């Protein structure tokens, strides 16, 4: 079972967090901090698996993570999940986000927290993997999206606005500024080493 | 450059403004995000968010806020919560949004609810109606959302309300709905397994669903079910194999392909299921050899996901019954993994190796050079996994090198979790394989100083216990103790300020107990070293207590030092310390008293604890005479409160809403328990074993092993002199350290590795027997703990009886509390049963004799007041008597008439065969173990040891047989009690015996017992039932299957339950029936059954929270299996 899915950026700022088990608010924050601490100090050329820290449940659980440009995607799972399987699930998740947001970037996740959650809900339900097929996930999300448009024609506007911003001339955005995250796209998703 | 950002951000509002309405809404969020990212400190962020939350609070409470705005507020609240700020005021609005909003708002509302609330949150109750409504909605999206939220967070109590609706969805035309319904049911199964018992058939339908997606989700359920009880699902093996074959053969739609691998995640799940099914089962394993082979063959493409499949496949091959060809292929795969340059694969390869070495240690030999490289790998995870692997291959020959490697790693590691984990392993290895005393003590010293206060408490406990109990040879024990004392003295002479508290505690205990063994060191020196510790600021007050206890134990003659110390401490701020200082003062002045309180050389099992505090009786009677109110135990006080309540005469009605009553009423004790115990309050001696004048008064003495009433064994003999003293760093270890030291020269590096390899993998090669089916017999641990055949599970109150149990050192029986079961005589052989054991003493059990007269007439007997127990005349047995049933002839005469189960065979080896039989006595379950000698020779020293965590052993008899004649059978009795209901409990045990003198064999066995074995009928009248019903608090309601095959469905069903579970049917009125039972002679459980359509609505109540669930579970099983 998947216990938690966390996304945070290189500075440890949470961008999305979803817990499938109940923890108190404080513990959740501690878990995010601890996980960031564990994951961020790892080099690029080491494996993508980690034993869970103290908080996330001891030796039964493990962290499986991927690092894309500015974002870390971390899945905390128990022993009943396959390590490599989850690793590819993260890939599917990111590819799906990329499709849904047309070149996803960190800003998309911030501004469309609810949409990210909805996409995730189509993939993982209550800690169990529901769907791994990208086109199927997109179909489901779009079905909801259509309803969204028919109900409020302008609701799609912000997404368009953000993608307009993204298409502006930003590739040389300095990285040392916090908000500089906008520029860093997930390029063509470097396939797994 | 930063201007660019600024510009972009200032441009953003413009872009949004060009849109209308909704765009403005997101404005707020955007502004919030923007201002947060501009902040520099955490403090500023806090302030900002606080402001934001205030603004939101205002907004949500304003009546003018539109749904759309509310939606936007929710998203902002999610953002704040994600950052860790409390936005609980929005929770109720999230529920409102889900309730009242359009589809769009609903979605945000549900999402917010699932993020904000947990299963136990009270607000969730408000969501139930909304979910019910949406589940019935024709709008697919609404139904989907409802199912999602049900699977994420849903109150356990409310599952019955939505269950039928979710079940209906299993036959919904849309596959996505069916799929989500399956997962929702799985979630229900996880949180409340009893509630979905009846729909297991539907799971099977889901498994054969025409849509592969639905089938895939049902695998989640099956994986879980099969993990819990593989035997029940063996029949599905064929189906799973077929599915996997079809998947492999590309029969699924192309949609399911991922990187042109057909449905990889599905394959992984199927492989896991198959490995669970085939574990230790040859015939089932044979069904899957072919498909596993194909799986191994197909997974050759070079993509990450195929490796995932391959890994599962390899694991499956090694889990199921072995087949040589497959094992060879799997071993090759593991090789590929381990040698892969891809680090993730290397990691998995090591993991696979770790798993496999348990079956085949030789595989590790093949990869020894890779393993050694991995030891020096830069990746922390890889290193750790390698050590894990080494841990598995440790034996007496390579233990020093491996432990050294582990300690090296630990010294450079700062991850708490890893330290705790590894340090435990090091101490385990040290205990098991230590080559000599000095190494053992040195290693444990490292463990304590590295692990420090992170250590699990059982590491120091085990260590001290090992020192205290020792092994068979006194001389060796003393050498070990002496060495420990010496090494600690050396440690204490150095810098002590950095030592962890736990280490200091261990040292002070050991010094206190065993410093006298060391003759050459001055007592004053020891006292000085310990006193020095007391002065250190870093020493915690708990450790000070340990140190003081140690000082109390080092006695005699050093009065001046002690007096000085005691005086200094008697003005301490810490009351505990002050008290101890006082004791120290008194004891040091009165050497006779000291000898009495802290006897040296007294064997630990001779110490008695007067747990009934009978020495206070004088005080109590004086107080009573002076007019004090007699003591009432808490439950009695509570009962009196209950009685007050009972006078309110609530109507006996069944129409209360279940959920509310179950959460609101607090736990109350059952009246039956109370009536029995109320007699006990006044005088404690009635209950206690009279310990007489030998009773020790142990007030105030700090006991290290208080739990078992245990005191360390001490030697009266003079300390051994020939022990080489002060050998702190033994040469052996230095040598080992040198050997593992990597040399700087490159040319010799390789050689070093080779050398390391030979020292690491020694003992794994040809010499060791390789068994595929199990780990080869481990060498006996060096430090063996004394066998303690009957570890009493009842803690503090237990009392070690000395008298008769001294007969054999293996014999300690927990007689306190169960004095009435006291039947303790080691049976010698079958003939021992010719004379009936004196049937019991004292109260209560006189009924044992009554039983014989009673049971034919099946009349009831009075039991503890107004409740009556009926003894069923027969126990229904589903299996026909087997050939071993002649063993029942061996039942002791006094037990022959008790209802009993069939005799089932437990285990056997060429010399012994074991079978068991359950006898149902009112107050306990008697588990009889028949030990049959199958050989023509005499077997000696047969000892049975049985352990079960969940059960209590009230008495045992015949567990030690000195001599078992050829072809004869001995019977061993265990009277087992169940205090807390568990649906099923399993017990394990071993029989040790000697066929030839000095050659001890052990034969392990295990078995399971179900709660049903512990259920006894409870006879009462309808009025009593009604009264009792109202006083019980924990209840559960559930619909059960009604047996409709006979004329009167209710009666048939109840009879079926009665037969299966020994219930007592109190009354049947029309379509309702009331039934009663109890857990042995403990908590009652009342069942109220009503026929409703084709179902039986069962409502259970009990004072015990878990009992109704258990009984319900067994009722469901009983009905399902008919």
């Amino acid at each position: 079972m998947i216990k938690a899915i966390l996304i945070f950026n290189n500075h440890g700022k949470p961008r999305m967090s979803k817990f499938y088990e109940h923890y108190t608010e404080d513990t959740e924050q501690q878990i995010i901090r601890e996980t960031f601490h564990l994951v961020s100090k790892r080099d690029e050329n080491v494996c993508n698996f980690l034993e869970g820290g103290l908080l996330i449940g001891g030796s039964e659980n493990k962290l499986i993570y991927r690092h894309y440009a500015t974002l870390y995607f971390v899945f905390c799972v128990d022993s009943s999940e396959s390590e490599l399987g989850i690793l590819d699930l993260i890939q599917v998740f990111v590819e799906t986000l990329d499709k849904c947001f047309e070149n996803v970037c960190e800003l998309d996740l911030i501004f469309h927290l609810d949409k990210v959650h909805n996409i995730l809900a189509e993939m993982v339900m209550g800690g169990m993997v529901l769907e791994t097929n990208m086109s199927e996930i997109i179909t489901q999300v779009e079905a909801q999206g259509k309803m969204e448009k028919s109900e409020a024609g302008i609701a799609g506007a912000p997404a368009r606005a953000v993608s307009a911003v993204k298409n502006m001339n930003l590739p040389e955005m300095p990285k040392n500024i916090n908000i500089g995250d906008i520029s860093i796209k997930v390029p063509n998703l470097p396939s797994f080493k | 450059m930063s201007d660019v950002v600024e510009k972009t951000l200032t441009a953003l509002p413009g872009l949004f403004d060009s849109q209308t309405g909704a765009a403005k809404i997101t404005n707020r969020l955007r502004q919030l995000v923007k201002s947060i990212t501009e902040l520099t400190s955490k403090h500023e962020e806090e302030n900002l968010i606080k402001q934001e939350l205030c603004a939101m609070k205002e907004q949500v409470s304003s009546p003018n806020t539109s749904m759309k705005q509310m939606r936007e507020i929710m998203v902002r609240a999610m953002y704040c919560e994600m950052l860790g700020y409390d936005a609980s005021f929005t929770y109720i609005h999230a529920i409102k949004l889900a309730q009242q909003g359009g589809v769009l708002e609903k979605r945000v509302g549900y999402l917010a609810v699932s993020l904000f609330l947990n299963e136990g949150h009270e607000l969730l109750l408000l969501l139930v109606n909304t979910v019910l409504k949406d589940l019935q909605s024709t709008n697919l999206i609404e139904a989907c959302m409802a199912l999602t939220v049900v699977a994420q967070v849903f109150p356990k109590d409310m599952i019955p309300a939505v269950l039928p609706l979710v079940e209906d969805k299993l036959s919904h035309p849309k596959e996505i709905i069916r799929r989500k319904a399956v997962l929702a049911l799985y979630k229900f199964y996880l949180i409340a397994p009893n509630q979905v018992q009846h729909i297991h058939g539907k799971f099977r339908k889901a498994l054969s669903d025409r849509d592969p997606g639905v089938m895939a989700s049902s695998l989640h359920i099956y994986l879980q079910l099969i993990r819990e009880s593989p035997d029940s699902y063996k029949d599905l093996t064929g189906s799973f194999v077929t599915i996997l074959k079809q998947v492999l053969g590309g029969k699924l739609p192309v949609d399911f392909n991922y990187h042109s691998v057909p449905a990889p995640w599905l394959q992984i799940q199927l492989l896991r299921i198959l490995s669970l099914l085939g574990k230790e089962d040859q015939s089932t394993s044979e069904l899957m050899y072919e498909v596993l082979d194909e799986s191994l063959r197909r997974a050759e493409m070079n993509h990450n996901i195929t490796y995932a499949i391959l890994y599962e496949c390899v694991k499956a091959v090694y889990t199921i019954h072995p087949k040589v060809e497959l094992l060879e292929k799997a071993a090759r795969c593991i090789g590929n993994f381990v040698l892969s340059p891809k680090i993730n694969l290397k990691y998995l390869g090591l993991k696979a190796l770790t798993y496999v070495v348990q079956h085949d240690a030789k595989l590790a030999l093949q990869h020894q050079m890779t393993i050694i490289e991995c030891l020096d790998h830069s990746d922390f995870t890889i290193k750790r996994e390698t050590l894990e692997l080494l841990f598995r291959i440790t034996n007496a020959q390579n233990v020093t090198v491996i432990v050294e490697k582990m300690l090296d790693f630990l010294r450079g590691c700062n991850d708490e979790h890893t330290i705790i984990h590894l340090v435990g392993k090091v101490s385990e290895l040290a205990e098991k394989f230590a080559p000599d005393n000095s190494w053992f003590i040195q290693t444990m010293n490292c463990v304590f100083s590295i692990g420090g206060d992170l250590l699990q408490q059982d590491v120091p406990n085990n260590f001290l216990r090992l020192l205290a109990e020792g092994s068979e040879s006194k001389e060796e024990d003393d050498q070990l103790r002496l060495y420990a004392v010496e090494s600690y003295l050396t440690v204490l002479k150095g810098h002590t300020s950095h030592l962890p508290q736990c280490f200091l505690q261990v040292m002070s205990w050991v010094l206190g107990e065993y410093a006298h063994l060391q003759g050459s060191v001055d007592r004053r020196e020891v006292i000085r070293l310990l006193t020095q510790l007391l002065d250190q600021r870093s020493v915690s007050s708990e450790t000070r207590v340990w140190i003081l206890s140690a000082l109390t134990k080092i006695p005699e003659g050093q009065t001046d030092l002690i007096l000085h110390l005691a005086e200094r401490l008697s003005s301490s701020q810490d009351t505990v310390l002050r008290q101890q200082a006082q004791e120290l003062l008194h004891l040091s002045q009165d050497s006779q008293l000291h000898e009495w309180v802290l006897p040296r050389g007294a064997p630990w099992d001779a110490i008695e604890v007067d747990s009934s505090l009978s020495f206070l009786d004088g005080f109590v009677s004086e107080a009573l005479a002076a007019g004090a109110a007699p003591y009432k135990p808490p439950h009695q006080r509570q009962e009196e409160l209950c009685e007050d309540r009972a006078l309110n005469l609530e109507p006996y009605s069944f129409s209360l809403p279940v959920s509310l009553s179950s959460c609101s009423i607090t736990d109350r004790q059952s009246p039956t328990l109370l009536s029995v115990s109320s007699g006990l309050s006044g005088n404690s001696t009635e209950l206690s074993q009279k310990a007489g004048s030998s009773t020790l008064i142990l007030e105030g003495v700090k006991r290290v092993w208080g739990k078992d009433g245990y005191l360390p064994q001490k030697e009266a003999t003079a300390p051994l002199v020939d022990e080489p003293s002060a050998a702190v760093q033994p040469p052996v270890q230095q040598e080992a350290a040198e050997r593992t030291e990597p040399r700087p020269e490159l040319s010799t590096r390789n050689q070093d590795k080779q050398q390391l390899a030979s020292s690491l993998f020694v003992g794994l090669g040809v010499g060791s027997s390789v068994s595929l089916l199990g780990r080869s017999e481990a060498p006996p641990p060096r430090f063996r703990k004394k066998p303690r055949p009957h570890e009493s599970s009842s803690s503090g109150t237990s009392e070690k009886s000395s008298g008769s149990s001294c007969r054999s050192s293996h014999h300690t029986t927990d007689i306190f509390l169960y004095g009435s079961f006291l039947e303790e005589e080691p049976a010698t052989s079958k003939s021992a049963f010719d004379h009936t054991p004196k049937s019991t003493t004292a109260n209560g059990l006189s009924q044992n004799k009554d039983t014989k007269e009673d049971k034919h007439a099946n009349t009831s007997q009075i039991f503890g007041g107004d409740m009556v127990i009926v003894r069923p005349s027969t126990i229904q047995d589903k299996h026909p008597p087997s050939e071993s049933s002649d063993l029942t002839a061996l039942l002791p005469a006094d037990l022959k008439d008790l209802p009993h189960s069939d005799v089932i065979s437990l285990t056997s080896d060429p010399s012994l065969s074991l079978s068991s039989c359950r006898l149902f006595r009112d107050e306990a379950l008697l588990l009889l173990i028949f030990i049959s000698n199958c050989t023509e020779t005499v077997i000696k020293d047969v000892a049975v040891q049985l352990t079960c965590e969940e059960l209590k052993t009230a008495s045992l008899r015949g567990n030690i047989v000195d001599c078992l004649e050829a072809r004869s059978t001995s019977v061993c009795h265990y009277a087992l009690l169940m205090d807390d209901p568990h649906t099923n409990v399993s017990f394990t045990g071993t029989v040790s015996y000697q066929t030839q003198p000095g050659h001890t064999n052990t034969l392990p066995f295990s078995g399971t017992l179900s709660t049903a074995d512990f259920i006894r009928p409870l006879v009462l009248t309808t009025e009593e039932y009604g009264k009792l019903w109202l006083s019980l608090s924990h209840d559960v309601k559930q619909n059960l299957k009604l047996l409709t095959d006979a004329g009167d469905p209710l009666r048939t069903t109840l009879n079926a339950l009665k037969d299966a579970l020994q219930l007592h049917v109190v009354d049947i009125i029309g379509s309702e029936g009331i039934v009663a039972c109890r857990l042995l002679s403990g908590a009652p459980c009342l069942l109220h059954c009503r026929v409703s359509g084709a179902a039986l609505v069962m409502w259970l109540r009990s004072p015990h929270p878990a009992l109704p669930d258990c009984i319900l579970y067994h009722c469901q099983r009983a009905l399902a299996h008919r």
Side-chain angles (χ1 to χ4, degrees), chain B residues 894-1075:
Chain B
D894 61 330
L895 301 174
K896 264 209 170 97
D897 301 320
L898 285 175
H900 62 80
S901 72
D902 281 332
V903 175
I904 31 175
S905 166
L906 283 176
T907 179
S908 64
D909 69 359
S911 336
L912 284 184
S913 79
L914 295 187
S915 357
S916 73
C917 171
R918 287 161 289 145
L919 269 75
F920 307 98
R921 220 155 65 174
D922 280 340
E923 66 302 313
L925 176 77
L926 279 188
L927 182 70
L928 263 56
I929 299 174
F930 299 97
I931 312 159
S932 309
N933 184 351
C934 322
T935 62
E936 300 299 338
T937 51
V938 177
I939 295 183
K940 296 214 178 228
D941 290 335
V942 181
V944 185
Q945 194 176 347
L946 182 116
T947 46
C948 178
E949 278 174 20
E950 293 92 348
L951 299 178
K952 249 189 210 164
T953 311
S955 73
L956 78 166
R957 181 166 71 174
N959 66 323
I960 312 267
V961 183
D962 295 335
C963 163
L964 187 60
E965 300 294 335
R967 296 279 162 206
S968 71
T969 301
S970 160
V971 187
C972 165
H973 296 214
Y974 277 91
L976 298 174
L977 301 180
M978 181 184 261
D979 283 352
D980 292 311
H982 302 267
T983 43
N984 282 307
V985 292
S986 51
F987 58 86
T988 55
T990 51
V991 181
S992 60
Y993 61 92
Q994 298 197 341
T995 40
Q996 299 143 11
H999 188 78
T1000 308
N1001 293 322
T1002 50
L1003 175 62
F1005 63 89
S1006 63
T1008 50
L1009 298 168
S1010 85
T1011 324
D1013 295 329
F1014 295 87
I1015 300 293
R1016 302 289 178 264
L1018 174 66
V1019 172
L1020 25 70
T1021 62
T1022 313
E1023 289 78 46
E1024 283 164 346
Y1025 182 95
K1027 230 183 253 168
L1028 192 54
W1029 178 268
L1030 289 178
S1031 68
L1032 301 180
S1033 50
H1034 295 279
D1035 60 3
V1036 171
K1037 205 170 187 179
Q1038 176 78 50
N1039 289 4
L1040 294 184
K1041 192 172 109 185
L1042 194 62
L1043 299 174
T1044 46
D1045 40 346
D1048 186 348
L1050 179 61
R1051 209 168 276 275
T1052 325
T1053 315
L1054 290 186
N1055 281 338
L1057 290 178
K1058 186 176 133 194
D1059 289 343
L1061 277 164
Q1062 308 194 42
L1063 307 174
H1064 171 67
V1065 180
V1066 180
D1067 207 350
I1068 295 181
I1069 314 160
S1071 64
E1072 299 187 15
I1074 49 179
V1075 181

Side-chain angles (χ1 to χ4, degrees), chain B residues 9 271 442 458 675 842 845 890 902 1012:
Chain B
L9 286 169
L271 285 167
Q442 288 298 333
D458 60 331
S675 57
L845 271 209
L890 295 172
D902 281 332

Side-chain angles (χ1 to χ4, degrees), chain A residues 22 48 88 131 144 148 192, chain B residues 107 118 179 258 304 344:
Chain A
H22 173 57
N48 301 45
D88 270 47
E131 177 63 72
Q144 294 172 14
E148 201 165 331
F192 172 53
Chain B
R107 189 163 70 152
N118 62 64
R179 194 193 285 196
Y258 175 77
N304 185 31
N344 282 335

Side-chain angles (χ1 to χ4, degrees), chain A residues 4 11 13 36 38-39 57 66 69-70 76 84 98-99 102 106 109 113 122 125 127 129 147 149 151 169 174 183:
Chain A
H11 307 285
K13 279 256 170 249
F36 171 69
L38 283 172
V39 167
R66 288 198 136 185
T70 59
C76 175
L84 290 177
D98 196 50
K99 274 253 171 69
E102 297 160 17
E106 194 177 335
L109 303 193
L113 191 59
E122 294 304 320
M125 187 169 144
V129 180
M147 161 198 85
K149 269 179 200 143
E151 197 165 290
N169 224 354
S183 71

Side-chain angles (χ1 to χ4, degrees), chain A residues 80, chain B residues 219-227 269 272-273 276:
Chain A
S80 67
Chain B
L219 290 185
H220 285 289
I221 299 178
Y222 278 103
L223 190 61
Q224 180 70 22
L225 290 174
I226 292 171
R227 192 176 293 139
Q269 287 246 336
R272 282 185 175 227
I273 288 179
L276 287 173

Side-chain angles (χ1 to χ4, degrees), chain B residues 714-908:
Chain B
K714 289 185 198 171
E715 267 316 287
T717 53
L720 292 153
V721 223
D722 54 348
E723 175 73 7
S725 54
V728 180
Q729 183 73 23
V732 186
Q733 202 188 352
Q734 272 172 350
E735 224 175 79
E738 270 165 28
R739 240 186 309 159
T740 54
E741 205 75 46
R743 301 282 151 79
E745 297 90 3
L746 263 174
S747 55
T748 51
R749 255 191 81 184
N750 230 355
Q751 218 177 334
D752 283 344
K753 277 189 180 167
Q754 294 279 9
Q755 211 176 348
L756 178 60
S758 61
S759 52
L760 275 179
F761 297 94
V762 66
L764 283 182
V766 221
S768 67
S769 62
V770 177
S771 85
L772 289 174
L773 278 173
R775 200 177 185 163
S776 51
E777 194 69 30
R782 179 178 154 76
F783 297 107
R784 240 182 319 153
K785 286 173 194 156
K786 272 200 178 151
R788 330 169 99 212
H790 175 63
E791 206 129 357
S792 68
S793 53
S794 66
S795 56
T797 53
S798 76
E799 186 174 351
K800 298 276 179 223
S801 81
S802 52
S804 60
S805 63
C806 278
R807 222 194 112 176
S808 115
S809 66
H810 293 268
H811 231 67
T812 41
T813 311
D814 182 4
I815 46 177
F816 180 62
L817 283 182
Y818 305 110
S820 55
F821 290 125
L822 189 69
E823 327 163 284
E824 191 187 282
E825 34 185 79
T828 42
S829 74
K830 185 195 161 187
S831 59
F833 293 105
D834 293 344
H835 64 93
T836 333
K838 279 133 262 153
S839 127
T840 65
T841 53
N843 50 7
L845 271 209
S846 55
Q847 48 179 326
N848 223 359
K849 272 177 239 153
D850 301 343
T851 320
K852 286 169 205 159
E853 292 117 44
D854 284 354
K855 53 110 200 9
H856 291 299
N858 197 6
T859 49
S860 44
Q861 59 184 162
I862 304 301
F863 189 80
D866 50 352
M867 305 293 178
V868 178
I869 288 270
V870 161
R871 185 179 301 283
S873 51
T874 51
I875 293 295
Q876 214 205 349
D877 275 317
K878 289 183 194 88
H879 315 286
S882 58
E883 73 286 301
S884 60
S885 65
D886 58 323
L887 283 170
T888 52
L890 295 172
L891 290 179
D894 61 330
L895 301 174
K896 264 209 170 97
D897 301 320
L898 285 175
H900 62 80
S901 72
D902 281 332
V903 175
I904 31 175
S905 166
L906 283 176
T907 179
S908 64

Side-chain angles (χ1 to χ4, degrees), chain A:
Chain A
M1 197 184 135
I2 299 171
K3 306 274 176 178
I5 294 171
L6 311 172
I7 305 176
F8 40 74
N9 71 3
N10 288 349
H11 307 285
K13 279 256 170 249
R15 288 308 177 215
M16 192 211 75
S17 66
K18 172 84 196 167
F19 291 86
Y20 293 98
E21 267 191 359
H22 173 57
Y23 298 98
T24 61
E25 185 76 17
D26 286 344
T27 325
E28 285 183 4
Q29 290 304 313
Q30 260 176 299
I31 289 175
I32 296 176
R33 271 198 302 274
E34 190 186 82
T35 314
F36 171 69
H37 181 70
L38 283 172
V39 167
S40 62
K41 67 179 181 198
R42 287 176 66 78
D43 296 337
E44 283 296 320
N45 57 345
V46 296
C47 68
N48 301 45
F49 317 118
L50 261 179
E51 290 271 336
L54 282 174
L55 286 168
I56 199 103
S59 50
E60 261 294 282
N61 292 345
K62 52 207 162 189
L63 302 172
I64 296 162
Y65 73 96
R66 288 198 136 185
H67 189 193
Y68 294 97
T70 59
L71 291 176
Y72 285 99
F73 286 71
V74 187
F75 279 44
C76 175
V77 302
D78 68 8
S79 59
S80 67
E81 298 287 343
S82 147
E83 287 92 344
L84 290 177
I86 293 290
L87 209 52
D88 270 47
L89 193 69
I90 302 180
Q91 181 76 14
V92 172
F93 181 38
V94 176
E95 278 180 39
T96 313
L97 288 177
D98 196 50
K99 274 253 171 69
C100 289
F101 288 108
E102 297 160 17
N103 275 346
V104 68
C105 72
E106 194 177 335
L107 212 57
D108 288 320
L109 303 193
I110 304 172
F111 286 141
H112 303 284
L113 191 59
D114 52 335
K115 193 172 177 189
V116 177
H117 273 292
N118 286 330
I119 294 170
L120 186 64
E122 294 304 320
M123 279 186 76
V124 179
M125 187 169 144
M128 274 87 60
V129 180
L130 173 72
E131 177 63 72
T132 50
N133 181 0
M134 190 164 72
S135 55
E136 185 64 30
I137 300 168
I138 293 173
T139 319
Q140 287 304 325
V141 174
E142 270 174 4
Q144 294 172 14
K146 262 179 212 148
M147 161 198 85
E148 201 165 331
K149 269 179 200 143
S150 65
E151 197 165 290
I154 38 201
R160 285 199 292 278
V162 172
S163 59
V165 176
K166 281 194 292 189
N167 295 336
M168 288 166 66
N169 224 354
L170 291 174
E172 285 97 31
M173 179 96 57
K175 282 194 184 180
N176 52 355
I177 301 170
N178 266 355
I179 193 105
D181 302 329
I182 311 177
S183 71
I184 300 109
K185 304 245 167 75
V186 183
N188 42 5
L189 297 159
S191 88
F192 172 53
K193 299 184 286 281

